[in-house]
Amino acid sequence: PLPEFKKFGVIIVLDNDDAGRNGSLKCAQKIYDELGIICEIAQWRDGLPSGYDISDDKDWKEFAFALDQRYEFRPKPSKDEPQRGVIEVMSIGQLLNADFQEPEIIVRNMLQQESVSVFGGCSGTGKSWASLQIGMCIASGLPVFGYFEVSKPHKVLLCQFELTNGQVLTRTALLKKSFDKEWNTIDQNFDYQVMSKKLAFTDRWWTIDQFLSDSDGRYSGGVVIVDNLYTSMDAGIDSSNNTQLIPVVKMMGDISEKHKVGLFVNTHHKKNTKMNPIDIDDILGGAVLSRYASNVFQMKQSKLSTDLRVAMITKVRGEASELIEVPFKLRFNPDTGLFEKADVITNELLHYIEPKERWEIALAVE
């Protein structure tokens, strides 16, 4: 039940003896190491018998006193956590001789190693379809949308918290026809986390972290696709609230660095943005998420055709991009389930005009 602790403040009340006092400290440290929560520790009144605990307090007066006297535990930093106030420095010459590695570009302009990438779009635009296709391309080494180069085949883990298992199966079966030659490679590299609807709107990041820890580096150097941010968090967290989202974004960074994976996170656009040109501030999750991410890719529905999307790369870090903030078409083929990159768009606003407002329709009506 550790993830449940995040919803509440934690007060530890163990027995009134040395074992209880030492156990309280160990328990508080463990909770901090696992969840980053700083606990409080209750203190029993002096003079109570050794071993006194909650079950001995018949009228709850001693328990109330112990809570009143509680103090905040001061955790020891974990071995991987930098201590506050400690700054490590090196000369600029030492920097040139250091063994720091530049992150590998996994998908050109879209995803790089040990970083967080965001895929934003309004509901119903096909983000889950596109993410499944992207996962297959990364697992096989084929270019994403037939255009964005993939450096080589990588391990992929799809954590799907929105669609049912049956929906994912149906879509995978359709997409398989277009990846038939590469299917053996995809099957070896692409894993799917079986979805349980009971787990939607609960904290899945802690579980992802635990799963990757138990996988003995199986996905190191690979990609974890999370679909989507909204359903991967506790229901009590407002994904549009920057303050509430900070611990979630920090967890993303921790997972990416700790397990050496690239995170590809689907998220929605804010309400009432469908008719506006694509902007990085459309991302649900606000500045905390979009500014932290290394790459941001966004997609909206075009009003010109049900099978046409407007796409844009709104952030790229670590490489040049000729498409940064340039809208382009993505065509969806319902017969294959594939998105394919098409032409650059010269007038994005035309794709958001309702049919009845277009000049051709108005002229015909007149």
PDB file of all heavy atoms in Angstrom, residues 154-175:
ATOM      1  N   HIS A 154      14.962  -0.618 -30.675  1.00  0.00           N
ATOM      2  CA  HIS A 154      15.119  -0.485 -29.224  1.00  0.00           C
ATOM      3  C   HIS A 154      14.030  -1.279 -28.507  1.00  0.00           C
ATOM      4  O   HIS A 154      12.966  -1.543 -29.069  1.00  0.00           O
ATOM      5  CB  HIS A 154      15.009   0.981 -28.793  1.00  0.00           C
ATOM      6  CG  HIS A 154      16.116   1.862 -29.259  1.00  0.00           C
ATOM      7  ND1 HIS A 154      16.204   2.310 -30.559  1.00  0.00           N
ATOM      8  CD2 HIS A 154      17.178   2.394 -28.594  1.00  0.00           C
ATOM      9  CE1 HIS A 154      17.274   3.087 -30.682  1.00  0.00           C
ATOM     10  NE2 HIS A 154      17.881   3.145 -29.510  1.00  0.00           N
ATOM     11  N   LYS A 155      14.302  -1.606 -27.250  1.00  0.00           N
ATOM     12  CA  LYS A 155      13.265  -2.202 -26.410  1.00  0.00           C
ATOM     13  C   LYS A 155      12.196  -1.153 -26.125  1.00  0.00           C
ATOM     14  O   LYS A 155      12.495   0.024 -25.899  1.00  0.00           O
ATOM     15  CB  LYS A 155      13.855  -2.698 -25.090  1.00  0.00           C
ATOM     16  CG  LYS A 155      14.787  -3.886 -25.219  1.00  0.00           C
ATOM     17  CD  LYS A 155      14.066  -5.142 -25.683  1.00  0.00           C
ATOM     18  CE  LYS A 155      13.026  -5.605 -24.683  1.00  0.00           C
ATOM     19  NZ  LYS A 155      12.386  -6.890 -25.124  1.00  0.00           N
ATOM     20  N   VAL A 156      10.937  -1.589 -26.124  1.00  0.00           N
ATOM     21  CA  VAL A 156       9.811  -0.687 -25.875  1.00  0.00           C
ATOM     22  C   VAL A 156       8.867  -1.336 -24.865  1.00  0.00           C
ATOM     23  O   VAL A 156       8.556  -2.530 -24.968  1.00  0.00           O
ATOM     24  CB  VAL A 156       9.036  -0.382 -27.180  1.00  0.00           C
ATOM     25  CG1 VAL A 156       7.813   0.487 -26.885  1.00  0.00           C
ATOM     26  CG2 VAL A 156       9.933   0.300 -28.204  1.00  0.00           C
ATOM     27  N   LEU A 157       8.415  -0.539 -23.895  1.00  0.00           N
ATOM     28  CA  LEU A 157       7.372  -0.964 -22.961  1.00  0.00           C
ATOM     29  C   LEU A 157       6.216   0.009 -23.089  1.00  0.00           C
ATOM     30  O   LEU A 157       6.382   1.213 -22.881  1.00  0.00           O
ATOM     31  CB  LEU A 157       7.895  -0.971 -21.520  1.00  0.00           C
ATOM     32  CG  LEU A 157       6.847  -1.219 -20.427  1.00  0.00           C
ATOM     33  CD1 LEU A 157       6.252  -2.623 -20.545  1.00  0.00           C
ATOM     34  CD2 LEU A 157       7.445  -0.998 -19.037  1.00  0.00           C
ATOM     35  N   LEU A 158       5.039  -0.505 -23.453  1.00  0.00           N
ATOM     36  CA  LEU A 158       3.839   0.330 -23.559  1.00  0.00           C
ATOM     37  C   LEU A 158       3.008   0.166 -22.295  1.00  0.00           C
ATOM     38  O   LEU A 158       2.528  -0.935 -21.998  1.00  0.00           O
ATOM     39  CB  LEU A 158       3.013  -0.061 -24.787  1.00  0.00           C
ATOM     40  CG  LEU A 158       1.637   0.614 -24.913  1.00  0.00           C
ATOM     41  CD1 LEU A 158       1.769   2.121 -25.031  1.00  0.00           C
ATOM     42  CD2 LEU A 158       0.866   0.055 -26.106  1.00  0.00           C
ATOM     43  N   CYS A 159       2.848   1.258 -21.555  1.00  0.00           N
ATOM     44  CA  CYS A 159       1.986   1.280 -20.366  1.00  0.00           C
ATOM     45  C   CYS A 159       0.718   2.025 -20.744  1.00  0.00           C
ATOM     46  O   CYS A 159       0.705   3.256 -20.832  1.00  0.00           O
ATOM     47  CB  CYS A 159       2.697   1.962 -19.195  1.00  0.00           C
ATOM     48  SG  CYS A 159       4.214   1.133 -18.670  1.00  0.00           S
ATOM     49  N   GLN A 160      -0.337   1.281 -20.997  1.00  0.00           N
ATOM     50  CA  GLN A 160      -1.574   1.819 -21.547  1.00  0.00           C
ATOM     51  C   GLN A 160      -2.625   1.861 -20.439  1.00  0.00           C
ATOM     52  O   GLN A 160      -3.036   0.828 -19.919  1.00  0.00           O
ATOM     53  CB  GLN A 160      -2.025   0.929 -22.710  1.00  0.00           C
ATOM     54  CG  GLN A 160      -3.424   1.122 -23.189  1.00  0.00           C
ATOM     55  CD  GLN A 160      -3.655   2.492 -23.777  1.00  0.00           C
ATOM     56  OE1 GLN A 160      -4.414   3.267 -23.226  1.00  0.00           O
ATOM     57  NE2 GLN A 160      -3.014   2.776 -24.889  1.00  0.00           N
ATOM     58  N   PHE A 161      -3.076   3.078 -20.084  1.00  0.00           N
ATOM     59  CA  PHE A 161      -4.029   3.238 -18.987  1.00  0.00           C
ATOM     60  C   PHE A 161      -5.361   3.820 -19.449  1.00  0.00           C
ATOM     61  O   PHE A 161      -6.141   4.294 -18.635  1.00  0.00           O
ATOM     62  CB  PHE A 161      -3.433   4.148 -17.899  1.00  0.00           C
ATOM     63  CG  PHE A 161      -2.111   3.675 -17.380  1.00  0.00           C
ATOM     64  CD1 PHE A 161      -1.009   4.492 -17.409  1.00  0.00           C
ATOM     65  CD2 PHE A 161      -1.968   2.392 -16.870  1.00  0.00           C
ATOM     66  CE1 PHE A 161       0.213   4.055 -16.930  1.00  0.00           C
ATOM     67  CE2 PHE A 161      -0.752   1.942 -16.396  1.00  0.00           C
ATOM     68  CZ  PHE A 161       0.343   2.784 -16.427  1.00  0.00           C
ATOM     69  N   GLU A 162      -5.608   3.793 -20.757  1.00  0.00           N
ATOM     70  CA  GLU A 162      -6.837   4.395 -21.274  1.00  0.00           C
ATOM     71  C   GLU A 162      -7.691   3.379 -22.032  1.00  0.00           C
ATOM     72  O   GLU A 162      -8.869   3.200 -21.730  1.00  0.00           O
ATOM     73  CB  GLU A 162      -6.497   5.581 -22.174  1.00  0.00           C
ATOM     74  CG  GLU A 162      -7.720   6.349 -22.647  1.00  0.00           C
ATOM     75  CD  GLU A 162      -7.351   7.656 -23.307  1.00  0.00           C
ATOM     76  OE1 GLU A 162      -6.591   7.618 -24.295  1.00  0.00           O
ATOM     77  OE2 GLU A 162      -7.833   8.707 -22.844  1.00  0.00           O
ATOM     78  N   LEU A 163      -7.112   2.695 -23.023  1.00  0.00           N
ATOM     79  CA  LEU A 163      -7.867   1.729 -23.812  1.00  0.00           C
ATOM     80  C   LEU A 163      -8.007   0.405 -23.071  1.00  0.00           C
ATOM     81  O   LEU A 163      -7.220   0.091 -22.171  1.00  0.00           O
ATOM     82  CB  LEU A 163      -7.155   1.488 -25.147  1.00  0.00           C
ATOM     83  CG  LEU A 163      -6.911   2.708 -26.038  1.00  0.00           C
ATOM     84  CD1 LEU A 163      -6.128   2.290 -27.280  1.00  0.00           C
ATOM     85  CD2 LEU A 163      -8.216   3.380 -26.426  1.00  0.00           C
ATOM     86  N   THR A 164      -8.991  -0.382 -23.465  1.00  0.00           N
ATOM     87  CA  THR A 164      -9.112  -1.737 -22.925  1.00  0.00           C
ATOM     88  C   THR A 164      -8.104  -2.651 -23.625  1.00  0.00           C
ATOM     89  O   THR A 164      -7.584  -2.321 -24.702  1.00  0.00           O
ATOM     90  CB  THR A 164     -10.521  -2.292 -23.153  1.00  0.00           C
ATOM     91  OG1 THR A 164     -10.748  -2.445 -24.567  1.00  0.00           O
ATOM     92  CG2 THR A 164     -11.582  -1.363 -22.574  1.00  0.00           C
ATOM     93  N   ASN A 165      -7.840  -3.798 -23.018  1.00  0.00           N
ATOM     94  CA  ASN A 165      -6.937  -4.764 -23.650  1.00  0.00           C
ATOM     95  C   ASN A 165      -7.463  -5.198 -25.014  1.00  0.00           C
ATOM     96  O   ASN A 165      -6.691  -5.407 -25.955  1.00  0.00           O
ATOM     97  CB  ASN A 165      -6.765  -5.982 -22.736  1.00  0.00           C
ATOM     98  CG  ASN A 165      -6.087  -5.614 -21.430  1.00  0.00           C
ATOM     99  OD1 ASN A 165      -5.111  -4.871 -21.424  1.00  0.00           O
ATOM    100  ND2 ASN A 165      -6.604  -6.117 -20.322  1.00  0.00           N
ATOM    101  N   GLY A 166      -8.787  -5.331 -25.143  1.00  0.00           N
ATOM    102  CA  GLY A 166      -9.383  -5.728 -26.413  1.00  0.00           C
ATOM    103  C   GLY A 166      -9.169  -4.686 -27.492  1.00  0.00           C
ATOM    104  O   GLY A 166      -8.914  -5.019 -28.663  1.00  0.00           O
ATOM    105  N   GLN A 167      -9.274  -3.414 -27.125  1.00  0.00           N
ATOM    106  CA  GLN A 167      -9.047  -2.346 -28.098  1.00  0.00           C
ATOM    107  C   GLN A 167      -7.597  -2.335 -28.579  1.00  0.00           C
ATOM    108  O   GLN A 167      -7.324  -2.153 -29.771  1.00  0.00           O
ATOM    109  CB  GLN A 167      -9.411  -0.994 -27.477  1.00  0.00           C
ATOM    110  CG  GLN A 167     -10.911  -0.791 -27.303  1.00  0.00           C
ATOM    111  CD  GLN A 167     -11.242   0.444 -26.492  1.00  0.00           C
ATOM    112  OE1 GLN A 167     -10.526   0.782 -25.536  1.00  0.00           O
ATOM    113  NE2 GLN A 167     -12.321   1.119 -26.840  1.00  0.00           N
ATOM    114  N   VAL A 168      -6.663  -2.534 -27.645  1.00  0.00           N
ATOM    115  CA  VAL A 168      -5.249  -2.570 -28.028  1.00  0.00           C
ATOM    116  C   VAL A 168      -4.983  -3.766 -28.932  1.00  0.00           C
ATOM    117  O   VAL A 168      -4.244  -3.668 -29.924  1.00  0.00           O
ATOM    118  CB  VAL A 168      -4.347  -2.627 -26.776  1.00  0.00           C
ATOM    119  CG1 VAL A 168      -2.877  -2.736 -27.179  1.00  0.00           C
ATOM    120  CG2 VAL A 168      -4.550  -1.377 -25.910  1.00  0.00           C
ATOM    121  N   LEU A 169      -5.594  -4.906 -28.615  1.00  0.00           N
ATOM    122  CA  LEU A 169      -5.419  -6.107 -29.445  1.00  0.00           C
ATOM    123  C   LEU A 169      -5.906  -5.854 -30.868  1.00  0.00           C
ATOM    124  O   LEU A 169      -5.226  -6.187 -31.849  1.00  0.00           O
ATOM    125  CB  LEU A 169      -6.172  -7.276 -28.818  1.00  0.00           C
ATOM    126  CG  LEU A 169      -6.015  -8.651 -29.468  1.00  0.00           C
ATOM    127  CD1 LEU A 169      -6.245  -9.759 -28.443  1.00  0.00           C
ATOM    128  CD2 LEU A 169      -6.996  -8.856 -30.626  1.00  0.00           C
ATOM    129  N   THR A 170      -7.116  -5.273 -31.006  1.00  0.00           N
ATOM    130  CA  THR A 170      -7.689  -5.023 -32.329  1.00  0.00           C
ATOM    131  C   THR A 170      -6.792  -4.101 -33.152  1.00  0.00           C
ATOM    132  O   THR A 170      -6.542  -4.347 -34.343  1.00  0.00           O
ATOM    133  CB  THR A 170      -9.094  -4.410 -32.187  1.00  0.00           C
ATOM    134  OG1 THR A 170      -9.934  -5.319 -31.467  1.00  0.00           O
ATOM    135  CG2 THR A 170      -9.706  -4.129 -33.556  1.00  0.00           C
ATOM    136  N   ARG A 171      -6.297  -3.057 -32.519  1.00  0.00           N
ATOM    137  CA  ARG A 171      -5.448  -2.094 -33.236  1.00  0.00           C
ATOM    138  C   ARG A 171      -4.102  -2.717 -33.604  1.00  0.00           C
ATOM    139  O   ARG A 171      -3.575  -2.475 -34.699  1.00  0.00           O
ATOM    140  CB  ARG A 171      -5.255  -0.844 -32.388  1.00  0.00           C
ATOM    141  CG  ARG A 171      -6.556  -0.097 -32.143  1.00  0.00           C
ATOM    142  CD  ARG A 171      -6.356   1.163 -31.338  1.00  0.00           C
ATOM    143  NE  ARG A 171      -7.630   1.844 -31.107  1.00  0.00           N
ATOM    144  CZ  ARG A 171      -7.760   3.096 -30.666  1.00  0.00           C
ATOM    145  NH1 ARG A 171      -6.679   3.811 -30.415  1.00  0.00           N
ATOM    146  NH2 ARG A 171      -8.951   3.625 -30.481  1.00  0.00           N
ATOM    147  N   THR A 172      -3.560  -3.510 -32.695  1.00  0.00           N
ATOM    148  CA  THR A 172      -2.282  -4.171 -32.974  1.00  0.00           C
ATOM    149  C   THR A 172      -2.412  -5.135 -34.145  1.00  0.00           C
ATOM    150  O   THR A 172      -1.531  -5.208 -35.015  1.00  0.00           O
ATOM    151  CB  THR A 172      -1.783  -4.922 -31.729  1.00  0.00           C
ATOM    152  OG1 THR A 172      -1.638  -4.001 -30.649  1.00  0.00           O
ATOM    153  CG2 THR A 172      -0.443  -5.592 -31.988  1.00  0.00           C
ATOM    154  N   ALA A 173      -3.530  -5.875 -34.184  1.00  0.00           N
ATOM    155  CA  ALA A 173      -3.746  -6.827 -35.272  1.00  0.00           C
ATOM    156  C   ALA A 173      -3.825  -6.113 -36.623  1.00  0.00           C
ATOM    157  O   ALA A 173      -3.315  -6.607 -37.636  1.00  0.00           O
ATOM    158  CB  ALA A 173      -5.031  -7.615 -35.018  1.00  0.00           C
ATOM    159  N   LEU A 174      -4.447  -4.920 -36.639  1.00  0.00           N
ATOM    160  CA  LEU A 174      -4.530  -4.159 -37.887  1.00  0.00           C
ATOM    161  C   LEU A 174      -3.159  -3.626 -38.289  1.00  0.00           C
ATOM    162  O   LEU A 174      -2.751  -3.735 -39.452  1.00  0.00           O
ATOM    163  CB  LEU A 174      -5.518  -3.003 -37.727  1.00  0.00           C
ATOM    164  CG  LEU A 174      -5.740  -2.122 -38.962  1.00  0.00           C
ATOM    165  CD1 LEU A 174      -6.272  -2.936 -40.131  1.00  0.00           C
ATOM    166  CD2 LEU A 174      -6.692  -0.972 -38.641  1.00  0.00           C
ATOM    167  N   LEU A 175      -2.426  -3.074 -37.333  1.00  0.00           N
ATOM    168  CA  LEU A 175      -1.111  -2.509 -37.637  1.00  0.00           C
ATOM    169  C   LEU A 175      -0.106  -3.579 -38.054  1.00  0.00           C
ATOM    170  O   LEU A 175       0.804  -3.314 -38.842  1.00  0.00           O
ATOM    171  CB  LEU A 175      -0.570  -1.750 -36.422  1.00  0.00           C
ATOM    172  CG  LEU A 175      -1.209  -0.384 -36.143  1.00  0.00           C
ATOM    173  CD1 LEU A 175      -0.798   0.127 -34.776  1.00  0.00           C
ATOM    174  CD2 LEU A 175      -0.817   0.622 -37.217  1.00  0.00           C
TER     175      LEU A 175
END
